[in-house]
PDB file of all heavy atoms in Angstrom:
ATOM      1  N   PHE A 275      13.522   6.962  23.959  1.00  0.00           N
ATOM      2  CA  PHE A 275      14.216   8.051  24.644  1.00  0.00           C
ATOM      3  C   PHE A 275      15.249   7.507  25.629  1.00  0.00           C
ATOM      4  O   PHE A 275      16.379   7.992  25.691  1.00  0.00           O
ATOM      5  CB  PHE A 275      13.206   8.943  25.363  1.00  0.00           C
ATOM      6  CG  PHE A 275      13.836  10.067  26.131  1.00  0.00           C
ATOM      7  CD1 PHE A 275      14.172  11.248  25.493  1.00  0.00           C
ATOM      8  CD2 PHE A 275      14.091   9.945  27.488  1.00  0.00           C
ATOM      9  CE1 PHE A 275      14.772  12.291  26.201  1.00  0.00           C
ATOM     10  CE2 PHE A 275      14.684  10.979  28.209  1.00  0.00           C
ATOM     11  CZ  PHE A 275      15.023  12.153  27.559  1.00  0.00           C
ATOM     12  N   MET A 276      14.853   6.508  26.389  1.00  0.00           N
ATOM     13  CA  MET A 276      15.751   5.934  27.389  1.00  0.00           C
ATOM     14  C   MET A 276      16.977   5.301  26.716  1.00  0.00           C
ATOM     15  O   MET A 276      18.099   5.474  27.192  1.00  0.00           O
ATOM     16  CB  MET A 276      15.024   4.904  28.255  1.00  0.00           C
ATOM     17  CG  MET A 276      13.881   5.485  29.074  1.00  0.00           C
ATOM     18  SD  MET A 276      14.359   6.861  30.134  1.00  0.00           S
ATOM     19  CE  MET A 276      15.302   5.989  31.369  1.00  0.00           C
ATOM     20  N   ILE A 277      16.766   4.602  25.620  1.00  0.00           N
ATOM     21  CA  ILE A 277      17.887   3.990  24.905  1.00  0.00           C
ATOM     22  C   ILE A 277      18.790   5.071  24.314  1.00  0.00           C
ATOM     23  O   ILE A 277      20.016   5.006  24.435  1.00  0.00           O
ATOM     24  CB  ILE A 277      17.392   3.031  23.801  1.00  0.00           C
ATOM     25  CG1 ILE A 277      16.689   1.819  24.432  1.00  0.00           C
ATOM     26  CG2 ILE A 277      18.546   2.595  22.903  1.00  0.00           C
ATOM     27  CD1 ILE A 277      15.943   0.953  23.437  1.00  0.00           C
ATOM     28  N   GLN A 278      18.183   6.072  23.686  1.00  0.00           N
ATOM     29  CA  GLN A 278      18.964   7.144  23.054  1.00  0.00           C
ATOM     30  C   GLN A 278      19.838   7.873  24.068  1.00  0.00           C
ATOM     31  O   GLN A 278      20.924   8.348  23.733  1.00  0.00           O
ATOM     32  CB  GLN A 278      18.035   8.161  22.380  1.00  0.00           C
ATOM     33  CG  GLN A 278      17.272   7.630  21.207  1.00  0.00           C
ATOM     34  CD  GLN A 278      18.094   7.532  19.940  1.00  0.00           C
ATOM     35  OE1 GLN A 278      19.206   8.033  19.860  1.00  0.00           O
ATOM     36  NE2 GLN A 278      17.554   6.872  18.939  1.00  0.00           N
ATOM     37  N   ASN A 279      19.372   7.969  25.295  1.00  0.00           N
ATOM     38  CA  ASN A 279      20.091   8.717  26.321  1.00  0.00           C
ATOM     39  C   ASN A 279      20.868   7.825  27.291  1.00  0.00           C
ATOM     40  O   ASN A 279      21.351   8.301  28.311  1.00  0.00           O
ATOM     41  CB  ASN A 279      19.120   9.627  27.083  1.00  0.00           C
ATOM     42  CG  ASN A 279      18.633  10.742  26.200  1.00  0.00           C
ATOM     43  OD1 ASN A 279      19.379  11.639  25.861  1.00  0.00           O
ATOM     44  ND2 ASN A 279      17.385  10.653  25.784  1.00  0.00           N
ATOM     45  N   SER A 280      20.997   6.566  26.956  1.00  0.00           N
ATOM     46  CA  SER A 280      21.738   5.650  27.818  1.00  0.00           C
ATOM     47  C   SER A 280      23.220   5.682  27.459  1.00  0.00           C
ATOM     48  O   SER A 280      23.614   6.212  26.420  1.00  0.00           O
ATOM     49  CB  SER A 280      21.198   4.226  27.688  1.00  0.00           C
ATOM     50  OG  SER A 280      21.631   3.635  26.485  1.00  0.00           O
ATOM     51  N   THR A 281      23.995   5.093  28.304  1.00  0.00           N
ATOM     52  CA  THR A 281      25.434   4.989  28.043  1.00  0.00           C
ATOM     53  C   THR A 281      25.799   3.593  27.544  1.00  0.00           C
ATOM     54  O   THR A 281      26.966   3.251  27.469  1.00  0.00           O
ATOM     55  CB  THR A 281      26.240   5.312  29.322  1.00  0.00           C
ATOM     56  OG1 THR A 281      25.830   4.423  30.355  1.00  0.00           O
ATOM     57  CG2 THR A 281      26.038   6.757  29.743  1.00  0.00           C
ATOM     58  N   SER A 282      24.786   2.830  27.201  1.00  0.00           N
ATOM     59  CA  SER A 282      24.992   1.462  26.730  1.00  0.00           C
ATOM     60  C   SER A 282      25.814   1.444  25.445  1.00  0.00           C
ATOM     61  O   SER A 282      25.680   2.317  24.586  1.00  0.00           O
ATOM     62  CB  SER A 282      23.637   0.805  26.471  1.00  0.00           C
ATOM     63  OG  SER A 282      23.804  -0.432  25.818  1.00  0.00           O
ATOM     64  N   HIS A 283      26.647   0.434  25.330  1.00  0.00           N
ATOM     65  CA  HIS A 283      27.442   0.270  24.112  1.00  0.00           C
ATOM     66  C   HIS A 283      26.667  -0.495  23.042  1.00  0.00           C
ATOM     67  O   HIS A 283      27.141  -0.643  21.917  1.00  0.00           O
ATOM     68  CB  HIS A 283      28.745  -0.468  24.426  1.00  0.00           C
ATOM     69  CG  HIS A 283      29.623   0.290  25.356  1.00  0.00           C
ATOM     70  ND1 HIS A 283      30.271   1.451  25.001  1.00  0.00           N
ATOM     71  CD2 HIS A 283      29.955   0.070  26.654  1.00  0.00           C
ATOM     72  CE1 HIS A 283      30.965   1.913  26.017  1.00  0.00           C
ATOM     73  NE2 HIS A 283      30.794   1.095  27.041  1.00  0.00           N
ATOM     74  N   ASN A 284      25.480  -0.964  23.389  1.00  0.00           N
ATOM     75  CA  ASN A 284      24.664  -1.755  22.465  1.00  0.00           C
ATOM     76  C   ASN A 284      23.434  -0.997  21.998  1.00  0.00           C
ATOM     77  O   ASN A 284      22.414  -1.597  21.685  1.00  0.00           O
ATOM     78  CB  ASN A 284      24.224  -3.061  23.150  1.00  0.00           C
ATOM     79  CG  ASN A 284      25.398  -3.911  23.544  1.00  0.00           C
ATOM     80  OD1 ASN A 284      26.379  -3.985  22.824  1.00  0.00           O
ATOM     81  ND2 ASN A 284      25.306  -4.543  24.698  1.00  0.00           N
ATOM     82  N   ARG A 285      23.512   0.327  21.957  1.00  0.00           N
ATOM     83  CA  ARG A 285      22.330   1.121  21.617  1.00  0.00           C
ATOM     84  C   ARG A 285      21.743   0.764  20.262  1.00  0.00           C
ATOM     85  O   ARG A 285      20.535   0.693  20.115  1.00  0.00           O
ATOM     86  CB  ARG A 285      22.638   2.616  21.679  1.00  0.00           C
ATOM     87  CG  ARG A 285      22.611   3.143  23.084  1.00  0.00           C
ATOM     88  CD  ARG A 285      22.652   4.629  23.099  1.00  0.00           C
ATOM     89  NE  ARG A 285      23.984   5.045  22.682  1.00  0.00           N
ATOM     90  CZ  ARG A 285      24.379   6.296  22.610  1.00  0.00           C
ATOM     91  NH1 ARG A 285      23.553   7.253  22.914  1.00  0.00           N
ATOM     92  NH2 ARG A 285      25.592   6.608  22.230  1.00  0.00           N
ATOM     93  N   VAL A 286      22.586   0.547  19.279  1.00  0.00           N
ATOM     94  CA  VAL A 286      22.086   0.225  17.937  1.00  0.00           C
ATOM     95  C   VAL A 286      21.278  -1.067  17.992  1.00  0.00           C
ATOM     96  O   VAL A 286      20.175  -1.148  17.445  1.00  0.00           O
ATOM     97  CB  VAL A 286      23.246   0.128  16.917  1.00  0.00           C
ATOM     98  CG1 VAL A 286      22.755  -0.401  15.588  1.00  0.00           C
ATOM     99  CG2 VAL A 286      23.923   1.475  16.754  1.00  0.00           C
ATOM    100  N   ASP A 287      21.820  -2.074  18.666  1.00  0.00           N
ATOM    101  CA  ASP A 287      21.101  -3.344  18.802  1.00  0.00           C
ATOM    102  C   ASP A 287      19.816  -3.165  19.601  1.00  0.00           C
ATOM    103  O   ASP A 287      18.774  -3.731  19.268  1.00  0.00           O
ATOM    104  CB  ASP A 287      21.982  -4.395  19.473  1.00  0.00           C
ATOM    105  CG  ASP A 287      23.161  -4.801  18.612  1.00  0.00           C
ATOM    106  OD1 ASP A 287      23.066  -4.686  17.373  1.00  0.00           O
ATOM    107  OD2 ASP A 287      24.184  -5.235  19.179  1.00  0.00           O
ATOM    108  N   GLU A 288      19.883  -2.381  20.665  1.00  0.00           N
ATOM    109  CA  GLU A 288      18.704  -2.142  21.497  1.00  0.00           C
ATOM    110  C   GLU A 288      17.612  -1.413  20.716  1.00  0.00           C
ATOM    111  O   GLU A 288      16.426  -1.729  20.839  1.00  0.00           O
ATOM    112  CB  GLU A 288      19.078  -1.345  22.744  1.00  0.00           C
ATOM    113  CG  GLU A 288      19.925  -2.131  23.721  1.00  0.00           C
ATOM    114  CD  GLU A 288      20.442  -1.291  24.874  1.00  0.00           C
ATOM    115  OE1 GLU A 288      19.939  -0.163  25.083  1.00  0.00           O
ATOM    116  OE2 GLU A 288      21.354  -1.761  25.566  1.00  0.00           O
ATOM    117  N   LEU A 289      18.007  -0.453  19.897  1.00  0.00           N
ATOM    118  CA  LEU A 289      17.028   0.265  19.072  1.00  0.00           C
ATOM    119  C   LEU A 289      16.415  -0.657  18.030  1.00  0.00           C
ATOM    120  O   LEU A 289      15.210  -0.586  17.753  1.00  0.00           O
ATOM    121  CB  LEU A 289      17.681   1.480  18.401  1.00  0.00           C
ATOM    122  CG  LEU A 289      17.968   2.646  19.332  1.00  0.00           C
ATOM    123  CD1 LEU A 289      18.843   3.681  18.628  1.00  0.00           C
ATOM    124  CD2 LEU A 289      16.681   3.280  19.826  1.00  0.00           C
ATOM    125  N   ARG A 290      17.232  -1.533  17.471  1.00  0.00           N
ATOM    126  CA  ARG A 290      16.733  -2.504  16.499  1.00  0.00           C
ATOM    127  C   ARG A 290      15.706  -3.432  17.157  1.00  0.00           C
ATOM    128  O   ARG A 290      14.644  -3.701  16.589  1.00  0.00           O
ATOM    129  CB  ARG A 290      17.903  -3.302  15.934  1.00  0.00           C
ATOM    130  CG  ARG A 290      17.676  -3.718  14.496  1.00  0.00           C
ATOM    131  CD  ARG A 290      18.894  -4.379  13.881  1.00  0.00           C
ATOM    132  NE  ARG A 290      19.824  -3.366  13.394  1.00  0.00           N
ATOM    133  CZ  ARG A 290      21.128  -3.345  13.642  1.00  0.00           C
ATOM    134  NH1 ARG A 290      21.686  -4.274  14.364  1.00  0.00           N
ATOM    135  NH2 ARG A 290      21.891  -2.403  13.159  1.00  0.00           N
ATOM    136  N   GLU A 291      16.029  -3.897  18.356  1.00  0.00           N
ATOM    137  CA  GLU A 291      15.102  -4.754  19.106  1.00  0.00           C
ATOM    138  C   GLU A 291      13.806  -4.018  19.429  1.00  0.00           C
ATOM    139  O   GLU A 291      12.715  -4.587  19.323  1.00  0.00           O
ATOM    140  CB  GLU A 291      15.751  -5.236  20.401  1.00  0.00           C
ATOM    141  CG  GLU A 291      16.823  -6.273  20.209  1.00  0.00           C
ATOM    142  CD  GLU A 291      17.523  -6.636  21.510  1.00  0.00           C
ATOM    143  OE1 GLU A 291      16.923  -6.461  22.595  1.00  0.00           O
ATOM    144  OE2 GLU A 291      18.680  -7.098  21.445  1.00  0.00           O
ATOM    145  N   LEU A 292      13.939  -2.759  19.816  1.00  0.00           N
ATOM    146  CA  LEU A 292      12.755  -1.957  20.131  1.00  0.00           C
ATOM    147  C   LEU A 292      11.865  -1.818  18.898  1.00  0.00           C
ATOM    148  O   LEU A 292      10.642  -1.971  18.982  1.00  0.00           O
ATOM    149  CB  LEU A 292      13.183  -0.579  20.638  1.00  0.00           C
ATOM    150  CG  LEU A 292      12.045   0.371  21.013  1.00  0.00           C
ATOM    151  CD1 LEU A 292      11.274  -0.161  22.212  1.00  0.00           C
ATOM    152  CD2 LEU A 292      12.597   1.763  21.301  1.00  0.00           C
ATOM    153  N   GLU A 293      12.459  -1.531  17.761  1.00  0.00           N
ATOM    154  CA  GLU A 293      11.680  -1.397  16.534  1.00  0.00           C
ATOM    155  C   GLU A 293      11.011  -2.712  16.159  1.00  0.00           C
ATOM    156  O   GLU A 293       9.880  -2.712  15.670  1.00  0.00           O
ATOM    157  CB  GLU A 293      12.548  -0.862  15.402  1.00  0.00           C
ATOM    158  CG  GLU A 293      12.872   0.597  15.587  1.00  0.00           C
ATOM    159  CD  GLU A 293      13.651   1.201  14.436  1.00  0.00           C
ATOM    160  OE1 GLU A 293      13.749   0.570  13.357  1.00  0.00           O
ATOM    161  OE2 GLU A 293      14.161   2.312  14.619  1.00  0.00           O
ATOM    162  N   ASN A 294      11.696  -3.822  16.378  1.00  0.00           N
ATOM    163  CA  ASN A 294      11.076  -5.126  16.115  1.00  0.00           C
ATOM    164  C   ASN A 294       9.906  -5.372  17.061  1.00  0.00           C
ATOM    165  O   ASN A 294       8.871  -5.877  16.655  1.00  0.00           O
ATOM    166  CB  ASN A 294      12.107  -6.250  16.244  1.00  0.00           C
ATOM    167  CG  ASN A 294      13.033  -6.305  15.057  1.00  0.00           C
ATOM    168  OD1 ASN A 294      12.693  -5.881  13.961  1.00  0.00           O
ATOM    169  ND2 ASN A 294      14.227  -6.813  15.279  1.00  0.00           N
ATOM    170  N   GLU A 295      10.086  -5.022  18.322  1.00  0.00           N
ATOM    171  CA  GLU A 295       9.033  -5.217  19.328  1.00  0.00           C
ATOM    172  C   GLU A 295       7.787  -4.396  19.000  1.00  0.00           C
ATOM    173  O   GLU A 295       6.659  -4.850  19.212  1.00  0.00           O
ATOM    174  CB  GLU A 295       9.570  -4.815  20.705  1.00  0.00           C
ATOM    175  CG  GLU A 295       8.572  -4.971  21.834  1.00  0.00           C
ATOM    176  CD  GLU A 295       9.121  -4.512  23.174  1.00  0.00           C
ATOM    177  OE1 GLU A 295      10.339  -4.266  23.302  1.00  0.00           O
ATOM    178  OE2 GLU A 295       8.311  -4.405  24.107  1.00  0.00           O
ATOM    179  N   TYR A 296       7.984  -3.194  18.472  1.00  0.00           N
ATOM    180  CA  TYR A 296       6.869  -2.286  18.187  1.00  0.00           C
ATOM    181  C   TYR A 296       6.574  -2.173  16.689  1.00  0.00           C
ATOM    182  O   TYR A 296       5.935  -1.228  16.253  1.00  0.00           O
ATOM    183  CB  TYR A 296       7.154  -0.905  18.779  1.00  0.00           C
ATOM    184  CG  TYR A 296       7.018  -0.879  20.281  1.00  0.00           C
ATOM    185  CD1 TYR A 296       8.070  -1.228  21.106  1.00  0.00           C
ATOM    186  CD2 TYR A 296       5.805  -0.523  20.876  1.00  0.00           C
ATOM    187  CE1 TYR A 296       7.943  -1.224  22.489  1.00  0.00           C
ATOM    188  CE2 TYR A 296       5.659  -0.506  22.251  1.00  0.00           C
ATOM    189  CZ  TYR A 296       6.736  -0.859  23.048  1.00  0.00           C
ATOM    190  OH  TYR A 296       6.597  -0.857  24.416  1.00  0.00           O
ATOM    191  N   ARG A 297       7.024  -3.166  15.928  1.00  0.00           N
ATOM    192  CA  ARG A 297       6.883  -3.123  14.470  1.00  0.00           C
ATOM    193  C   ARG A 297       5.443  -2.849  14.029  1.00  0.00           C
ATOM    194  O   ARG A 297       5.190  -1.995  13.180  1.00  0.00           O
ATOM    195  CB  ARG A 297       7.372  -4.428  13.857  1.00  0.00           C
ATOM    196  CG  ARG A 297       7.247  -4.449  12.326  1.00  0.00           C
ATOM    197  CD  ARG A 297       7.800  -5.707  11.730  1.00  0.00           C
ATOM    198  NE  ARG A 297       9.227  -5.794  12.057  1.00  0.00           N
ATOM    199  CZ  ARG A 297       9.843  -6.925  12.395  1.00  0.00           C
ATOM    200  NH1 ARG A 297       9.190  -8.049  12.434  1.00  0.00           N
ATOM    201  NH2 ARG A 297      11.119  -6.926  12.669  1.00  0.00           N
ATOM    202  N   ASP A 298       4.489  -3.564  14.612  1.00  0.00           N
ATOM    203  CA  ASP A 298       3.091  -3.397  14.196  1.00  0.00           C
ATOM    204  C   ASP A 298       2.582  -1.984  14.454  1.00  0.00           C
ATOM    205  O   ASP A 298       1.917  -1.384  13.609  1.00  0.00           O
ATOM    206  CB  ASP A 298       2.196  -4.414  14.902  1.00  0.00           C
ATOM    207  CG  ASP A 298       2.442  -5.831  14.423  1.00  0.00           C
ATOM    208  OD1 ASP A 298       3.009  -5.995  13.323  1.00  0.00           O
ATOM    209  OD2 ASP A 298       2.084  -6.763  15.156  1.00  0.00           O
ATOM    210  N   ILE A 299       2.892  -1.458  15.614  1.00  0.00           N
ATOM    211  CA  ILE A 299       2.412  -0.112  15.965  1.00  0.00           C
ATOM    212  C   ILE A 299       3.089   0.939  15.084  1.00  0.00           C
ATOM    213  O   ILE A 299       2.475   1.935  14.714  1.00  0.00           O
ATOM    214  CB  ILE A 299       2.602   0.179  17.466  1.00  0.00           C
ATOM    215  CG1 ILE A 299       1.694   1.305  17.908  1.00  0.00           C
ATOM    216  CG2 ILE A 299       3.986   0.553  17.834  1.00  0.00           C
ATOM    217  CD1 ILE A 299       0.596   0.838  18.757  1.00  0.00           C
ATOM    218  N   LEU A 300       4.351   0.711  14.743  1.00  0.00           N
ATOM    219  CA  LEU A 300       5.078   1.673  13.923  1.00  0.00           C
ATOM    220  C   LEU A 300       4.595   1.691  12.473  1.00  0.00           C
ATOM    221  O   LEU A 300       4.831   2.654  11.753  1.00  0.00           O
ATOM    222  CB  LEU A 300       6.584   1.387  13.975  1.00  0.00           C
ATOM    223  CG  LEU A 300       7.233   1.578  15.345  1.00  0.00           C
ATOM    224  CD1 LEU A 300       8.687   1.108  15.315  1.00  0.00           C
ATOM    225  CD2 LEU A 300       7.139   3.021  15.799  1.00  0.00           C
ATOM    226  N   ARG A 301       3.913   0.652  12.070  1.00  0.00           N
ATOM    227  CA  ARG A 301       3.347   0.598  10.710  1.00  0.00           C
ATOM    228  C   ARG A 301       2.008   1.310  10.618  1.00  0.00           C
ATOM    229  O   ARG A 301       1.533   1.597   9.524  1.00  0.00           O
ATOM    230  CB  ARG A 301       3.173  -0.854  10.271  1.00  0.00           C
ATOM    231  CG  ARG A 301       4.478  -1.527   9.972  1.00  0.00           C
ATOM    232  CD  ARG A 301       4.262  -2.933   9.499  1.00  0.00           C
ATOM    233  NE  ARG A 301       5.535  -3.566   9.179  1.00  0.00           N
ATOM    234  CZ  ARG A 301       5.714  -4.857   9.101  1.00  0.00           C
ATOM    235  NH1 ARG A 301       4.710  -5.683   9.318  1.00  0.00           N
ATOM    236  NH2 ARG A 301       6.900  -5.344   8.818  1.00  0.00           N
ATOM    237  N   ASN A 302       1.419   1.595  11.752  1.00  0.00           N
ATOM    238  CA  ASN A 302       0.123   2.272  11.789  1.00  0.00           C
ATOM    239  C   ASN A 302       0.295   3.705  11.272  1.00  0.00           C
ATOM    240  O   ASN A 302       1.182   4.432  11.722  1.00  0.00           O
ATOM    241  CB  ASN A 302      -0.418   2.273  13.218  1.00  0.00           C
ATOM    242  CG  ASN A 302      -1.758   2.922  13.314  1.00  0.00           C
ATOM    243  OD1 ASN A 302      -1.868   4.140  13.233  1.00  0.00           O
ATOM    244  ND2 ASN A 302      -2.782   2.103  13.489  1.00  0.00           N
ATOM    245  N   THR A 303      -0.546   4.124  10.338  1.00  0.00           N
ATOM    246  CA  THR A 303      -0.390   5.440   9.716  1.00  0.00           C
ATOM    247  C   THR A 303      -0.580   6.587  10.715  1.00  0.00           C
ATOM    248  O   THR A 303       0.072   7.618  10.593  1.00  0.00           O
ATOM    249  CB  THR A 303      -1.361   5.613   8.533  1.00  0.00           C
ATOM    250  OG1 THR A 303      -2.698   5.390   8.982  1.00  0.00           O
ATOM    251  CG2 THR A 303      -1.027   4.666   7.410  1.00  0.00           C
ATOM    252  N   ILE A 304      -1.447   6.412  11.700  1.00  0.00           N
ATOM    253  CA  ILE A 304      -1.680   7.464  12.692  1.00  0.00           C
ATOM    254  C   ILE A 304      -0.430   7.640  13.559  1.00  0.00           C
ATOM    255  O   ILE A 304       0.008   8.763  13.805  1.00  0.00           O
ATOM    256  CB  ILE A 304      -2.921   7.131  13.554  1.00  0.00           C
ATOM    257  CG1 ILE A 304      -4.175   7.146  12.690  1.00  0.00           C
ATOM    258  CG2 ILE A 304      -3.047   8.110  14.727  1.00  0.00           C
ATOM    259  CD1 ILE A 304      -5.411   6.574  13.377  1.00  0.00           C
ATOM    260  N   VAL A 305       0.144   6.537  14.002  1.00  0.00           N
ATOM    261  CA  VAL A 305       1.359   6.584  14.821  1.00  0.00           C
ATOM    262  C   VAL A 305       2.518   7.112  13.999  1.00  0.00           C
ATOM    263  O   VAL A 305       3.289   7.974  14.452  1.00  0.00           O
ATOM    264  CB  VAL A 305       1.691   5.188  15.404  1.00  0.00           C
ATOM    265  CG1 VAL A 305       3.049   5.193  16.090  1.00  0.00           C
ATOM    266  CG2 VAL A 305       0.607   4.741  16.362  1.00  0.00           C
ATOM    267  N   ARG A 306       2.647   6.626  12.788  1.00  0.00           N
ATOM    268  CA  ARG A 306       3.745   7.052  11.923  1.00  0.00           C
ATOM    269  C   ARG A 306       3.678   8.561  11.657  1.00  0.00           C
ATOM    270  O   ARG A 306       4.695   9.256  11.717  1.00  0.00           O
ATOM    271  CB  ARG A 306       3.726   6.263  10.610  1.00  0.00           C
ATOM    272  CG  ARG A 306       5.042   6.295   9.889  1.00  0.00           C
ATOM    273  CD  ARG A 306       5.156   5.302   8.754  1.00  0.00           C
ATOM    274  NE  ARG A 306       4.089   5.420   7.783  1.00  0.00           N
ATOM    275  CZ  ARG A 306       3.185   4.450   7.530  1.00  0.00           C
ATOM    276  NH1 ARG A 306       3.249   3.302   8.159  1.00  0.00           N
ATOM    277  NH2 ARG A 306       2.244   4.627   6.638  1.00  0.00           N
ATOM    278  N   GLU A 307       2.493   9.081  11.400  1.00  0.00           N
ATOM    279  CA  GLU A 307       2.351  10.526  11.168  1.00  0.00           C
ATOM    280  C   GLU A 307       2.724  11.309  12.418  1.00  0.00           C
ATOM    281  O   GLU A 307       3.398  12.334  12.346  1.00  0.00           O
ATOM    282  CB  GLU A 307       0.926  10.866  10.732  1.00  0.00           C
ATOM    283  CG  GLU A 307       0.614  12.357  10.678  1.00  0.00           C
ATOM    284  CD  GLU A 307       1.532  13.184   9.782  1.00  0.00           C
ATOM    285  OE1 GLU A 307       2.215  12.638   8.878  1.00  0.00           O
ATOM    286  OE2 GLU A 307       1.581  14.412   9.989  1.00  0.00           O
ATOM    287  N   TYR A 308       2.289  10.823  13.580  1.00  0.00           N
ATOM    288  CA  TYR A 308       2.636  11.503  14.827  1.00  0.00           C
ATOM    289  C   TYR A 308       4.147  11.508  15.048  1.00  0.00           C
ATOM    290  O   TYR A 308       4.735  12.560  15.354  1.00  0.00           O
ATOM    291  CB  TYR A 308       1.935  10.843  16.017  1.00  0.00           C
ATOM    292  CG  TYR A 308       2.406  11.391  17.329  1.00  0.00           C
ATOM    293  CD1 TYR A 308       2.039  12.669  17.734  1.00  0.00           C
ATOM    294  CD2 TYR A 308       3.258  10.657  18.150  1.00  0.00           C
ATOM    295  CE1 TYR A 308       2.500  13.194  18.933  1.00  0.00           C
ATOM    296  CE2 TYR A 308       3.720  11.176  19.344  1.00  0.00           C
ATOM    297  CZ  TYR A 308       3.336  12.437  19.730  1.00  0.00           C
ATOM    298  OH  TYR A 308       3.800  12.949  20.913  1.00  0.00           O
ATOM    299  N   LEU A 309       4.793  10.366  14.912  1.00  0.00           N
ATOM    300  CA  LEU A 309       6.234  10.281  15.138  1.00  0.00           C
ATOM    301  C   LEU A 309       7.011  11.124  14.127  1.00  0.00           C
ATOM    302  O   LEU A 309       8.002  11.773  14.477  1.00  0.00           O
ATOM    303  CB  LEU A 309       6.699   8.821  15.113  1.00  0.00           C
ATOM    304  CG  LEU A 309       6.172   7.943  16.250  1.00  0.00           C
ATOM    305  CD1 LEU A 309       6.588   6.494  16.039  1.00  0.00           C
ATOM    306  CD2 LEU A 309       6.618   8.463  17.611  1.00  0.00           C
ATOM    307  N   ASN A 310       6.560  11.136  12.874  1.00  0.00           N
ATOM    308  CA  ASN A 310       7.213  11.962  11.861  1.00  0.00           C
ATOM    309  C   ASN A 310       7.041  13.447  12.157  1.00  0.00           C
ATOM    310  O   ASN A 310       7.983  14.228  12.019  1.00  0.00           O
ATOM    311  CB  ASN A 310       6.683  11.636  10.464  1.00  0.00           C
ATOM    312  CG  ASN A 310       7.163  10.301   9.952  1.00  0.00           C
ATOM    313  OD1 ASN A 310       8.170   9.772  10.406  1.00  0.00           O
ATOM    314  ND2 ASN A 310       6.426   9.729   9.015  1.00  0.00           N
ATOM    315  N   ALA A 311       5.845  13.842  12.583  1.00  0.00           N
ATOM    316  CA  ALA A 311       5.583  15.241  12.913  1.00  0.00           C
ATOM    317  C   ALA A 311       6.393  15.665  14.137  1.00  0.00           C
ATOM    318  O   ALA A 311       6.942  16.771  14.184  1.00  0.00           O
ATOM    319  CB  ALA A 311       4.090  15.456  13.157  1.00  0.00           C
TER     320      ALA A 311
END
């Protein structure tokens, strides 16, 4: 949320880094279902 609402010019890179940092949690089916819902 903070990255999406920032004025940073590197948002795409920051989001990519965030996804890499949380890769394991994002692969979890419970988390994935919650985020998709």
Side-chain angles (χ1 to χ4, degrees):
F275 178 84
M276 297 304 288
I277 293 169
Q278 294 282 350
N279 291 290
S280 76
T281 57
S282 171
H283 297 290
N284 299 322
R285 280 191 289 182
V286 172
D287 293 334
E288 291 173 14
L289 287 169
R290 212 174 277 131
E291 288 175 24
L292 180 66
E293 287 184 13
N294 285 334
E295 180 182 349
Y296 286 86
R297 180 177 299 140
D298 291 341
I299 200 109
L300 295 173
R301 288 182 179 160
N302 181 286
T303 56
I304 295 169
V305 172
R306 199 168 55 243
E307 171 57 20
Y308 172 72
L309 294 174
N310 288 338

